[in-house]
Amino acid sequence: MKKNLNGTLLCVSLITWAVTSQLAWAAARDGETWAGEYSQASTLCTEPDSGRSCANAFSDHLSIIEDSTGYKVELHSTQAMQHVCSFVLRMKPEAGKLIHDSASGRVAIERRAGVLRVSSGGVDPTAAGLGVCGAHADIDGLTFSSSGKGG
C-alpha cells in the first residue's frame, strides 16, 4: 500500500508541476506578446483649417504594460481636425484579446495579421459615450503595427 501511495504522490506532484509550468509559460508568452510601446505617424491627422494631412507632425502612441492585475493600456492618437483620442485603461486578457468593460461599452485590443486593432463596437467615443475622443476622432478600428513595437 505504501508503494502505491508513493507512486500516486509522485504522479500528483508531476501533474501539478506540469500544470504550473504550462500556466507560467502561457503567462510569460502572453506578456511578451502584448507588452510594449507602439508608435507610428498619425496617419488620420488633418489640419483644422486646410484639411491637409499633418501625419508627419504628430505621432500616435500605444503603451501596454503588464502588472499583477492585468494590463495598463495608454493610447494617444491625433486625428481629423487635430482632434485627439486619449485614454489610460485597465485591461484584462480574455479570449485572445485585451478587454476593458465600462458602463458605456467595451473596448478591446486584438492581434490581426501583424497589427494590434482597437475596437469599441461602435460605442460613441466622445463625451456622450466613452469620453475618450474629441468630436472628429474615434478609436474603433484604430490600428498599430506590431513592427512599431519598442521596449
PDB file of all heavy atoms in Angstrom, residues 90-121:
ATOM      1  N   ARG A  90      -7.465  50.100 -17.599  1.00  0.00           N
ATOM      2  CA  ARG A  90      -7.069  48.787 -17.086  1.00  0.00           C
ATOM      3  C   ARG A  90      -7.734  47.758 -17.991  1.00  0.00           C
ATOM      4  O   ARG A  90      -8.948  47.826 -18.208  1.00  0.00           O
ATOM      5  CB  ARG A  90      -7.558  48.587 -15.652  1.00  0.00           C
ATOM      6  CG  ARG A  90      -7.076  49.614 -14.663  1.00  0.00           C
ATOM      7  CD  ARG A  90      -5.628  49.527 -14.295  1.00  0.00           C
ATOM      8  NE  ARG A  90      -5.184  48.157 -14.125  1.00  0.00           N
ATOM      9  CZ  ARG A  90      -3.921  47.780 -14.319  1.00  0.00           C
ATOM     10  NH1 ARG A  90      -3.007  48.649 -14.654  1.00  0.00           N
ATOM     11  NH2 ARG A  90      -3.581  46.523 -14.178  1.00  0.00           N
ATOM     12  N   MET A  91      -6.949  46.834 -18.528  1.00  0.00           N
ATOM     13  CA  MET A  91      -7.498  45.813 -19.421  1.00  0.00           C
ATOM     14  C   MET A  91      -7.067  44.431 -18.940  1.00  0.00           C
ATOM     15  O   MET A  91      -5.991  44.273 -18.365  1.00  0.00           O
ATOM     16  CB  MET A  91      -7.051  46.058 -20.860  1.00  0.00           C
ATOM     17  CG  MET A  91      -7.531  47.404 -21.390  1.00  0.00           C
ATOM     18  SD  MET A  91      -7.115  47.687 -23.122  1.00  0.00           S
ATOM     19  CE  MET A  91      -8.687  47.250 -23.877  1.00  0.00           C
ATOM     20  N   LYS A  92      -7.936  43.460 -19.206  1.00  0.00           N
ATOM     21  CA  LYS A  92      -7.651  42.076 -18.820  1.00  0.00           C
ATOM     22  C   LYS A  92      -7.678  41.197 -20.059  1.00  0.00           C
ATOM     23  O   LYS A  92      -8.482  41.420 -20.955  1.00  0.00           O
ATOM     24  CB  LYS A  92      -8.690  41.584 -17.816  1.00  0.00           C
ATOM     25  CG  LYS A  92      -8.622  42.339 -16.507  1.00  0.00           C
ATOM     26  CD  LYS A  92      -9.394  41.635 -15.438  1.00  0.00           C
ATOM     27  CE  LYS A  92      -9.333  42.428 -14.166  1.00  0.00           C
ATOM     28  NZ  LYS A  92      -8.463  41.912 -13.173  1.00  0.00           N
ATOM     29  N   PRO A  93      -6.786  40.196 -20.108  1.00  0.00           N
ATOM     30  CA  PRO A  93      -6.814  39.273 -21.235  1.00  0.00           C
ATOM     31  C   PRO A  93      -8.057  38.393 -21.173  1.00  0.00           C
ATOM     32  O   PRO A  93      -8.433  37.913 -20.098  1.00  0.00           O
ATOM     33  CB  PRO A  93      -5.534  38.457 -21.067  1.00  0.00           C
ATOM     34  CG  PRO A  93      -5.119  38.625 -19.658  1.00  0.00           C
ATOM     35  CD  PRO A  93      -5.718  39.901 -19.158  1.00  0.00           C
ATOM     36  N   GLU A  94      -8.700  38.228 -22.327  1.00  0.00           N
ATOM     37  CA  GLU A  94      -9.900  37.400 -22.403  1.00  0.00           C
ATOM     38  C   GLU A  94     -10.056  36.927 -23.843  1.00  0.00           C
ATOM     39  O   GLU A  94     -10.144  37.752 -24.762  1.00  0.00           O
ATOM     40  CB  GLU A  94     -11.121  38.235 -21.978  1.00  0.00           C
ATOM     41  CG  GLU A  94     -12.435  37.503 -21.991  1.00  0.00           C
ATOM     42  CD  GLU A  94     -13.591  38.410 -21.589  1.00  0.00           C
ATOM     43  OE1 GLU A  94     -13.526  39.003 -20.491  1.00  0.00           O
ATOM     44  OE2 GLU A  94     -14.533  38.543 -22.382  1.00  0.00           O
ATOM     45  N   ALA A  95     -10.063  35.646 -24.042  1.00  0.00           N
ATOM     46  CA  ALA A  95     -10.278  35.042 -25.359  1.00  0.00           C
ATOM     47  C   ALA A  95      -9.350  35.620 -26.426  1.00  0.00           C
ATOM     48  O   ALA A  95      -9.777  35.945 -27.528  1.00  0.00           O
ATOM     49  CB  ALA A  95     -11.742  35.203 -25.773  1.00  0.00           C
ATOM     50  N   GLY A  96      -8.062  35.770 -26.090  1.00  0.00           N
ATOM     51  CA  GLY A  96      -7.086  36.247 -27.066  1.00  0.00           C
ATOM     52  C   GLY A  96      -7.103  37.744 -27.315  1.00  0.00           C
ATOM     53  O   GLY A  96      -6.475  38.222 -28.255  1.00  0.00           O
ATOM     54  N   LYS A  97      -7.839  38.502 -26.491  1.00  0.00           N
ATOM     55  CA  LYS A  97      -7.919  39.958 -26.619  1.00  0.00           C
ATOM     56  C   LYS A  97      -7.625  40.589 -25.270  1.00  0.00           C
ATOM     57  O   LYS A  97      -7.676  39.929 -24.243  1.00  0.00           O
ATOM     58  CB  LYS A  97      -9.329  40.389 -27.040  1.00  0.00           C
ATOM     59  CG  LYS A  97      -9.807  39.843 -28.341  1.00  0.00           C
ATOM     60  CD  LYS A  97     -11.240  40.279 -28.602  1.00  0.00           C
ATOM     61  CE  LYS A  97     -11.766  39.669 -29.887  1.00  0.00           C
ATOM     62  NZ  LYS A  97     -13.157  40.070 -30.150  1.00  0.00           N
ATOM     63  N   LEU A  98      -7.342  41.885 -25.294  1.00  0.00           N
ATOM     64  CA  LEU A  98      -7.326  42.669 -24.061  1.00  0.00           C
ATOM     65  C   LEU A  98      -8.665  43.391 -24.009  1.00  0.00           C
ATOM     66  O   LEU A  98      -9.089  44.004 -24.992  1.00  0.00           O
ATOM     67  CB  LEU A  98      -6.177  43.673 -24.058  1.00  0.00           C
ATOM     68  CG  LEU A  98      -4.778  43.091 -23.990  1.00  0.00           C
ATOM     69  CD1 LEU A  98      -3.735  44.206 -23.948  1.00  0.00           C
ATOM     70  CD2 LEU A  98      -4.617  42.182 -22.793  1.00  0.00           C
ATOM     71  N   ILE A  99      -9.333  43.346 -22.859  1.00  0.00           N
ATOM     72  CA  ILE A  99     -10.705  43.840 -22.737  1.00  0.00           C
ATOM     73  C   ILE A  99     -10.823  44.836 -21.582  1.00  0.00           C
ATOM     74  O   ILE A  99     -10.279  44.630 -20.502  1.00  0.00           O
ATOM     75  CB  ILE A  99     -11.680  42.674 -22.458  1.00  0.00           C
ATOM     76  CG1 ILE A  99     -11.610  41.619 -23.560  1.00  0.00           C
ATOM     77  CG2 ILE A  99     -13.106  43.176 -22.249  1.00  0.00           C
ATOM     78  CD1 ILE A  99     -12.109  42.064 -24.906  1.00  0.00           C
ATOM     79  N   HIS A 100     -11.583  45.914 -21.840  1.00  0.00           N
ATOM     80  CA  HIS A 100     -11.993  46.847 -20.785  1.00  0.00           C
ATOM     81  C   HIS A 100     -13.503  47.040 -20.927  1.00  0.00           C
ATOM     82  O   HIS A 100     -13.993  47.476 -21.971  1.00  0.00           O
ATOM     83  CB  HIS A 100     -11.305  48.207 -20.940  1.00  0.00           C
ATOM     84  CG  HIS A 100     -11.831  49.232 -19.988  1.00  0.00           C
ATOM     85  ND1 HIS A 100     -11.434  49.305 -18.674  1.00  0.00           N
ATOM     86  CD2 HIS A 100     -12.752  50.210 -20.157  1.00  0.00           C
ATOM     87  CE1 HIS A 100     -12.079  50.286 -18.076  1.00  0.00           C
ATOM     88  NE2 HIS A 100     -12.890  50.847 -18.954  1.00  0.00           N
ATOM     89  N   ASP A 101     -14.242  46.689 -19.883  1.00  0.00           N
ATOM     90  CA  ASP A 101     -15.692  46.885 -19.880  1.00  0.00           C
ATOM     91  C   ASP A 101     -16.035  48.092 -19.025  1.00  0.00           C
ATOM     92  O   ASP A 101     -15.476  48.279 -17.943  1.00  0.00           O
ATOM     93  CB  ASP A 101     -16.411  45.646 -19.332  1.00  0.00           C
ATOM     94  CG  ASP A 101     -16.422  44.502 -20.333  1.00  0.00           C
ATOM     95  OD1 ASP A 101     -16.757  44.757 -21.500  1.00  0.00           O
ATOM     96  OD2 ASP A 101     -16.086  43.372 -19.941  1.00  0.00           O
ATOM     97  N   SER A 102     -16.951  48.924 -19.542  1.00  0.00           N
ATOM     98  CA  SER A 102     -17.435  50.078 -18.785  1.00  0.00           C
ATOM     99  C   SER A 102     -18.938  50.181 -18.976  1.00  0.00           C
ATOM    100  O   SER A 102     -19.520  49.456 -19.780  1.00  0.00           O
ATOM    101  CB  SER A 102     -16.763  51.368 -19.282  1.00  0.00           C
ATOM    102  OG  SER A 102     -17.279  51.733 -20.547  1.00  0.00           O
ATOM    103  N   ALA A 103     -19.563  51.101 -18.271  1.00  0.00           N
ATOM    104  CA  ALA A 103     -20.999  51.310 -18.405  1.00  0.00           C
ATOM    105  C   ALA A 103     -21.375  51.742 -19.826  1.00  0.00           C
ATOM    106  O   ALA A 103     -22.476  51.455 -20.301  1.00  0.00           O
ATOM    107  CB  ALA A 103     -21.470  52.357 -17.394  1.00  0.00           C
ATOM    108  N   SER A 104     -20.445  52.409 -20.515  1.00  0.00           N
ATOM    109  CA  SER A 104     -20.719  52.885 -21.877  1.00  0.00           C
ATOM    110  C   SER A 104     -20.479  51.834 -22.941  1.00  0.00           C
ATOM    111  O   SER A 104     -20.975  51.963 -24.056  1.00  0.00           O
ATOM    112  CB  SER A 104     -19.852  54.104 -22.194  1.00  0.00           C
ATOM    113  OG  SER A 104     -20.157  55.151 -21.309  1.00  0.00           O
ATOM    114  N   GLY A 105     -19.694  50.812 -22.626  1.00  0.00           N
ATOM    115  CA  GLY A 105     -19.417  49.774 -23.612  1.00  0.00           C
ATOM    116  C   GLY A 105     -18.055  49.154 -23.417  1.00  0.00           C
ATOM    117  O   GLY A 105     -17.336  49.446 -22.459  1.00  0.00           O
ATOM    118  N   ARG A 106     -17.691  48.309 -24.351  1.00  0.00           N
ATOM    119  CA  ARG A 106     -16.449  47.532 -24.275  1.00  0.00           C
ATOM    120  C   ARG A 106     -15.413  48.074 -25.244  1.00  0.00           C
ATOM    121  O   ARG A 106     -15.709  48.382 -26.396  1.00  0.00           O
ATOM    122  CB  ARG A 106     -16.750  46.082 -24.618  1.00  0.00           C
ATOM    123  CG  ARG A 106     -15.525  45.197 -24.720  1.00  0.00           C
ATOM    124  CD  ARG A 106     -15.890  43.770 -24.942  1.00  0.00           C
ATOM    125  NE  ARG A 106     -16.110  43.165 -23.622  1.00  0.00           N
ATOM    126  CZ  ARG A 106     -16.155  41.868 -23.407  1.00  0.00           C
ATOM    127  NH1 ARG A 106     -16.034  41.020 -24.390  1.00  0.00           N
ATOM    128  NH2 ARG A 106     -16.336  41.410 -22.178  1.00  0.00           N
ATOM    129  N   VAL A 107     -14.181  48.172 -24.754  1.00  0.00           N
ATOM    130  CA  VAL A 107     -13.028  48.486 -25.588  1.00  0.00           C
ATOM    131  C   VAL A 107     -12.167  47.228 -25.610  1.00  0.00           C
ATOM    132  O   VAL A 107     -11.942  46.613 -24.562  1.00  0.00           O
ATOM    133  CB  VAL A 107     -12.222  49.678 -25.027  1.00  0.00           C
ATOM    134  CG1 VAL A 107     -10.970  49.920 -25.858  1.00  0.00           C
ATOM    135  CG2 VAL A 107     -13.078  50.933 -24.980  1.00  0.00           C
ATOM    136  N   ALA A 108     -11.724  46.842 -26.796  1.00  0.00           N
ATOM    137  CA  ALA A 108     -10.902  45.643 -26.935  1.00  0.00           C
ATOM    138  C   ALA A 108      -9.707  45.934 -27.820  1.00  0.00           C
ATOM    139  O   ALA A 108      -9.759  46.805 -28.692  1.00  0.00           O
ATOM    140  CB  ALA A 108     -11.730  44.504 -27.532  1.00  0.00           C
ATOM    141  N   ILE A 109      -8.642  45.196 -27.576  1.00  0.00           N
ATOM    142  CA  ILE A 109      -7.476  45.225 -28.455  1.00  0.00           C
ATOM    143  C   ILE A 109      -7.222  43.782 -28.851  1.00  0.00           C
ATOM    144  O   ILE A 109      -7.195  42.891 -27.994  1.00  0.00           O
ATOM    145  CB  ILE A 109      -6.230  45.809 -27.762  1.00  0.00           C
ATOM    146  CG1 ILE A 109      -6.496  47.264 -27.354  1.00  0.00           C
ATOM    147  CG2 ILE A 109      -5.015  45.724 -28.681  1.00  0.00           C
ATOM    148  CD1 ILE A 109      -5.365  47.898 -26.564  1.00  0.00           C
ATOM    149  N   GLU A 110      -7.072  43.558 -30.154  1.00  0.00           N
ATOM    150  CA  GLU A 110      -6.794  42.205 -30.626  1.00  0.00           C
ATOM    151  C   GLU A 110      -5.685  42.229 -31.663  1.00  0.00           C
ATOM    152  O   GLU A 110      -5.413  43.258 -32.282  1.00  0.00           O
ATOM    153  CB  GLU A 110      -8.053  41.568 -31.203  1.00  0.00           C
ATOM    154  CG  GLU A 110      -8.633  42.288 -32.399  1.00  0.00           C
ATOM    155  CD  GLU A 110      -9.946  41.683 -32.861  1.00  0.00           C
ATOM    156  OE1 GLU A 110     -10.033  40.447 -32.987  1.00  0.00           O
ATOM    157  OE2 GLU A 110     -10.886  42.455 -33.085  1.00  0.00           O
ATOM    158  N   ARG A 111      -5.030  41.084 -31.810  1.00  0.00           N
ATOM    159  CA  ARG A 111      -3.969  40.929 -32.803  1.00  0.00           C
ATOM    160  C   ARG A 111      -4.582  40.414 -34.093  1.00  0.00           C
ATOM    161  O   ARG A 111      -5.357  39.469 -34.070  1.00  0.00           O
ATOM    162  CB  ARG A 111      -2.946  39.902 -32.340  1.00  0.00           C
ATOM    163  CG  ARG A 111      -2.149  40.311 -31.163  1.00  0.00           C
ATOM    164  CD  ARG A 111      -1.151  39.181 -30.826  1.00  0.00           C
ATOM    165  NE  ARG A 111      -0.913  39.141 -29.413  1.00  0.00           N
ATOM    166  CZ  ARG A 111      -1.569  38.373 -28.544  1.00  0.00           C
ATOM    167  NH1 ARG A 111      -2.482  37.544 -28.934  1.00  0.00           N
ATOM    168  NH2 ARG A 111      -1.297  38.417 -27.264  1.00  0.00           N
ATOM    169  N   ARG A 112      -4.198  41.042 -35.205  1.00  0.00           N
ATOM    170  CA  ARG A 112      -4.644  40.575 -36.522  1.00  0.00           C
ATOM    171  C   ARG A 112      -3.557  40.863 -37.536  1.00  0.00           C
ATOM    172  O   ARG A 112      -3.214  42.026 -37.762  1.00  0.00           O
ATOM    173  CB  ARG A 112      -5.900  41.328 -36.983  1.00  0.00           C
ATOM    174  CG  ARG A 112      -7.171  40.923 -36.332  1.00  0.00           C
ATOM    175  CD  ARG A 112      -8.325  41.571 -37.059  1.00  0.00           C
ATOM    176  NE  ARG A 112      -9.575  41.262 -36.408  1.00  0.00           N
ATOM    177  CZ  ARG A 112     -10.724  41.735 -36.806  1.00  0.00           C
ATOM    178  NH1 ARG A 112     -10.792  42.552 -37.831  1.00  0.00           N
ATOM    179  NH2 ARG A 112     -11.825  41.403 -36.174  1.00  0.00           N
ATOM    180  N   ALA A 113      -3.007  39.841 -38.124  1.00  0.00           N
ATOM    181  CA  ALA A 113      -2.063  39.946 -39.236  1.00  0.00           C
ATOM    182  C   ALA A 113      -1.026  41.061 -39.062  1.00  0.00           C
ATOM    183  O   ALA A 113      -0.944  41.970 -39.881  1.00  0.00           O
ATOM    184  CB  ALA A 113      -2.832  40.136 -40.539  1.00  0.00           C
ATOM    185  N   GLY A 114      -0.271  41.013 -37.986  1.00  0.00           N
ATOM    186  CA  GLY A 114       0.815  41.964 -37.775  1.00  0.00           C
ATOM    187  C   GLY A 114       0.407  43.319 -37.232  1.00  0.00           C
ATOM    188  O   GLY A 114       1.223  44.233 -37.199  1.00  0.00           O
ATOM    189  N   VAL A 115      -0.850  43.466 -36.822  1.00  0.00           N
ATOM    190  CA  VAL A 115      -1.287  44.732 -36.226  1.00  0.00           C
ATOM    191  C   VAL A 115      -2.058  44.471 -34.935  1.00  0.00           C
ATOM    192  O   VAL A 115      -2.610  43.397 -34.730  1.00  0.00           O
ATOM    193  CB  VAL A 115      -2.185  45.576 -37.178  1.00  0.00           C
ATOM    194  CG1 VAL A 115      -1.456  45.939 -38.435  1.00  0.00           C
ATOM    195  CG2 VAL A 115      -3.485  44.879 -37.493  1.00  0.00           C
ATOM    196  N   LEU A 116      -2.065  45.477 -34.078  1.00  0.00           N
ATOM    197  CA  LEU A 116      -2.952  45.488 -32.925  1.00  0.00           C
ATOM    198  C   LEU A 116      -4.108  46.395 -33.308  1.00  0.00           C
ATOM    199  O   LEU A 116      -3.903  47.533 -33.720  1.00  0.00           O
ATOM    200  CB  LEU A 116      -2.238  46.030 -31.689  1.00  0.00           C
ATOM    201  CG  LEU A 116      -1.052  45.211 -31.196  1.00  0.00           C
ATOM    202  CD1 LEU A 116      -0.426  45.872 -29.977  1.00  0.00           C
ATOM    203  CD2 LEU A 116      -1.464  43.800 -30.867  1.00  0.00           C
ATOM    204  N   ARG A 117      -5.317  45.884 -33.218  1.00  0.00           N
ATOM    205  CA  ARG A 117      -6.514  46.630 -33.632  1.00  0.00           C
ATOM    206  C   ARG A 117      -7.350  46.956 -32.407  1.00  0.00           C
ATOM    207  O   ARG A 117      -7.714  46.071 -31.628  1.00  0.00           O
ATOM    208  CB  ARG A 117      -7.341  45.816 -34.614  1.00  0.00           C
ATOM    209  CG  ARG A 117      -8.547  46.553 -35.140  1.00  0.00           C
ATOM    210  CD  ARG A 117      -9.322  45.674 -36.135  1.00  0.00           C
ATOM    211  NE  ARG A 117     -10.427  46.389 -36.697  1.00  0.00           N
ATOM    212  CZ  ARG A 117     -11.619  46.529 -36.108  1.00  0.00           C
ATOM    213  NH1 ARG A 117     -11.825  46.006 -34.924  1.00  0.00           N
ATOM    214  NH2 ARG A 117     -12.578  47.201 -36.694  1.00  0.00           N
ATOM    215  N   VAL A 118      -7.665  48.244 -32.250  1.00  0.00           N
ATOM    216  CA  VAL A 118      -8.522  48.711 -31.157  1.00  0.00           C
ATOM    217  C   VAL A 118      -9.953  48.718 -31.670  1.00  0.00           C
ATOM    218  O   VAL A 118     -10.222  49.163 -32.787  1.00  0.00           O
ATOM    219  CB  VAL A 118      -8.120  50.139 -30.707  1.00  0.00           C
ATOM    220  CG1 VAL A 118      -8.991  50.608 -29.554  1.00  0.00           C
ATOM    221  CG2 VAL A 118      -6.640  50.199 -30.340  1.00  0.00           C
ATOM    222  N   SER A 119     -10.870  48.229 -30.862  1.00  0.00           N
ATOM    223  CA  SER A 119     -12.278  48.275 -31.254  1.00  0.00           C
ATOM    224  C   SER A 119     -13.127  48.675 -30.052  1.00  0.00           C
ATOM    225  O   SER A 119     -12.775  48.410 -28.910  1.00  0.00           O
ATOM    226  CB  SER A 119     -12.747  46.929 -31.814  1.00  0.00           C
ATOM    227  OG  SER A 119     -12.637  45.926 -30.845  1.00  0.00           O
ATOM    228  N   SER A 120     -14.232  49.339 -30.380  1.00  0.00           N
ATOM    229  CA  SER A 120     -15.167  49.734 -29.320  1.00  0.00           C
ATOM    230  C   SER A 120     -16.595  49.358 -29.694  1.00  0.00           C
ATOM    231  O   SER A 120     -17.544  49.877 -29.105  1.00  0.00           O
ATOM    232  CB  SER A 120     -15.069  51.240 -29.055  1.00  0.00           C
ATOM    233  OG  SER A 120     -15.404  51.963 -30.221  1.00  0.00           O
ATOM    234  N   GLY A 121     -16.743  48.503 -30.678  1.00  0.00           N
ATOM    235  CA  GLY A 121     -18.068  48.015 -31.043  1.00  0.00           C
ATOM    236  C   GLY A 121     -19.038  49.104 -31.441  1.00  0.00           C
ATOM    237  O   GLY A 121     -20.231  48.966 -31.249  1.00  0.00           O
TER     238      GLY A 121
END
